[in-house]
Amino acid sequence: MTVDRRQLLAGLGKLLVLTPAAAAAWEYLEAGRPEEAPSYRLADHWWAMVIDVEACIGCGSCVRACKTENGVPLEPYYFRTWVERYHVPNGVSEHPEVDSPNGGYDGFPERYRPGDGAKSFFVPKLCNHCAHSPCTQVCPVGATFDSPDGVVLVDKSYCLGCRYCVQACPYGCRYIDPRTNTVDKCSLCYHRITKGLTTACCETCPTDARRLGDLKDPKDPIHEFLRAHKVQVLKPQMATGSKTWYAGLDGSVR
Amino acid sequence: MAGLFVVGLALFLVARKVLVPVGFGELGHFRTGAIADNRAPKLVHAGRAACAECHSDEPDRLKSGAHRGVGCEACHGALGAHAAAETDVKPARPDTGTLCLGCHRQSVSKPAGFPQVDPKEHGDGSGSCGGCHDPHAPAEEPKAPPAEEAKKP
């Protein structure tokens, strides 16, 4: 086999930039056949998400991308991810105003005026992919479960539609799909991340306010993010072992 | 009494065999095949790396400009179908009149450092932004407006 300089450099570049598994998958992505990427090893990954609240501009790109990528019903109230707008009078309040018109799908029509003495910001929400998830513990048949690579998934062919998990999730991240009467929720774009791509929401987030990370990959930038920022999970008192970390989270956020 | 117990046990084992799906419990309290089911859906967003396989102008211009962090499909919408069959699915050109303000419309809830404009004060009043800004390199000396001098924001 002869290797010209271009091939060699391209190969070296991939070695440097991509982990071996991702490099192998890359060949298939390049060929436009990502579904044939070689087998993905469950034991090599532990997925998580970091959210930078101070970077979110409330454009709703993630909400739209999520719905198209995952075929989520377009009517309001069905969301795998959504964005909330907080408005905290006097900066400190037990009772912040929170709204999320159509989950942020169409962006946020301006409601507030500058100089009203409040602080206001956007908070993207999604399944927290908890390591000790209350939702999977209550499933009577094992149709929702923590996958060995750290993603909370649903087995649609086996779900009874009993709604226990919908009630058990402290973050309100689950809904019953009206078409199948089974539960649906964020799968962390499992069909994408297991092929070396990022989630649809991260792909379309213009400001990197949300980033997918693999905690078992020592070269993943998520480690640097977690070191450089002070982070918090939602409802830490629930001890869910949430793997969605928020940087710049305000105490008013529920 | 013992007979009843044996019959009960047999019934339980048969029911269990029928009700518990194949592959259940191999990796945890779930059906192993559910992992493959969750991997099965087709890609709807191709990802920005795929676009650069065929297009070079736009990715190059994007890279050096203010929109370097913005993915192609954040503006163009999901184009996995186009990336898989580029001539069968022809993408529409986004309308800058609605697209740009989706991100840049002024709001007190946005981070203060994010560039925002009030459409009533910024631009040429046409509602469109493409006349002055190149969407792939928006800050690169906005083109002079067609008629009068650009109104500063």
Side-chain angles (χ1 to χ4, degrees):
Chain A
M1 189 179 108
T2 57
V3 178
D4 69 25
R5 203 158 63 138
R6 188 171 181 277
Q7 283 170 325
L8 184 70
L9 285 174
L12 279 176
K14 278 177 205 157
L15 265 183
L16 284 173
V17 175
L18 301 172
T19 59
W26 185 250
E27 306 290 330
Y28 291 87
L29 289 180
E30 268 192 333
R33 290 179 282 117
E35 56 286 349
E36 288 167 37
S39 64
Y40 159 91
R41 282 175 43 102
L42 290 168
D44 292 347
H45 307 274
W46 188 248
W47 297 106
M49 184 79 100
V50 288
I51 309 252
D52 187 352
V53 177
E54 277 158 32
C56 181
I57 59 170
C59 63
S61 298
C62 51
V63 185
R64 294 187 292 272
C66 175
K67 285 209 177 196
T68 10
E69 182 73 36
N70 297 298
V72 176
L74 284 182
E75 308 93 72
Y77 313 122
Y78 303 113
F79 299 102
R80 285 179 169 212
T81 187
W82 68 99
V83 180
E84 292 170 359
R85 171 169 55 188
Y86 275 71
H87 183 258
V88 190
N90 303 318
V92 193
S93 175
E94 290 285 281
H95 305 289
E97 285 170 47
V98 187
D99 73 335
S100 184
N102 196 8
Y105 188 92
D106 311 303
F108 290 80
E110 187 63 329
R111 277 179 55 174
Y112 303 114
R113 262 168 236 271
D116 61 359
K119 70 177 158 194
S120 187
F121 49 88
F122 297 105
V123 184
K125 296 259 179 102
L126 73 159
C127 169
N128 291 241
H129 295 283
C130 309
H132 317 294
S133 33
C135 58
T136 61
Q137 289 166 29
V138 300
C139 180
V141 296
T144 184
F145 56 96
D146 306 306
S147 73
D149 45 355
V151 185
V152 177
L153 293 176
V154 174
D155 183 350
K156 288 211 175 82
S157 64
Y158 195 30
C159 172
L160 307 171
C162 75
R163 295 158 167 77
Y164 276 152
C165 57
V166 179
Q167 293 228 315
C169 174
Y171 307 108
C173 295
R174 293 171 168 258
Y175 66 92
I176 297 286
D177 189 328
R179 298 163 301 192
T180 56
N181 216 17
T182 56
V183 77
D184 194 51
K185 66 176 283 295
C186 163
S187 62
L188 215 55
C189 281
Y190 202 67
H191 61 298
R192 299 177 61 85
I193 65 175
T194 55
K195 289 166 197 155
L197 292 164
T198 188
T199 63
C201 56
C202 294
E203 175 61 44
T204 52
C205 178
T207 58
D208 271 350
R210 47 203 303 159
R211 300 176 215 199
L212 174 79
D214 181 356
L215 296 173
K216 276 198 187 166
D217 175 359
K219 289 200 227 71
D220 196 299
I222 191 173
H223 300 291
E224 186 49 38
F225 185 93
L226 290 173
R227 264 195 299 273
H229 295 80
K230 291 162 185 85
V231 295
Q232 177 61 289
V233 297
L234 297 177
K235 303 192 179 173
Q237 73 275 16
M238 307 284 295
T240 55
S242 162
K243 288 195 275 87
T244 299
W245 286 286
Y246 286 80
L249 191 68
D250 190 72
S252 60
V253 177
R254 299 284 175 267
Chain B
M1 193 64 202
L4 199 61
F5 178 75
V6 169
V7 171
L9 187 69
L11 270 176
F12 170 75
L13 288 175
V14 170
R16 191 172 189 281
K17 183 92 194 138
V18 175
L19 291 177
V20 175
V22 183
F24 197 91
E26 287 168 4
L27 296 173
H29 192 65
F30 59 93
R31 193 176 58 86
T32 309
I35 298 263
D37 291 356
N38 272 283
R39 287 188 70 183
K42 283 247 165 328
L43 299 176
V44 180
H45 290 79
R48 52 194 99 176
C51 313
E53 288 295 311
C54 301
H55 297 278
S56 52
D57 276 18
E58 292 81 13
D60 279 352
R61 252 181 298 153
L62 207 64
K63 229 182 293 177
S64 51
H67 279 163
R68 72 187 84 82
V70 186
C72 312
E73 285 160 307
C75 292
H76 286 280
L79 283 180
H82 165 68
E86 68 273 21
T87 42
D88 297 353
V89 182
K90 196 171 155 70
R93 292 191 173 204
D95 169 23
T96 58
T98 46
L99 174 76
C100 311
L101 289 172
C103 286
H104 289 290
R105 186 187 293 277
Q106 200 157 44
S107 160
V108 293
S109 310
K110 284 189 175 146
F114 185 78
Q116 306 162 37
V117 295
D118 178 350
K120 287 202 278 309
E121 287 165 16
H122 185 82
D124 53 8
S126 69
S128 142
C129 322
C132 297
H133 297 279
D134 172 354
H136 302 114
E140 188 182 82
E141 291 184 40
K143 279 174 263 170
E148 43 172 332
E149 186 55 44
K151 288 190 214 112
K152 293 275 169 151

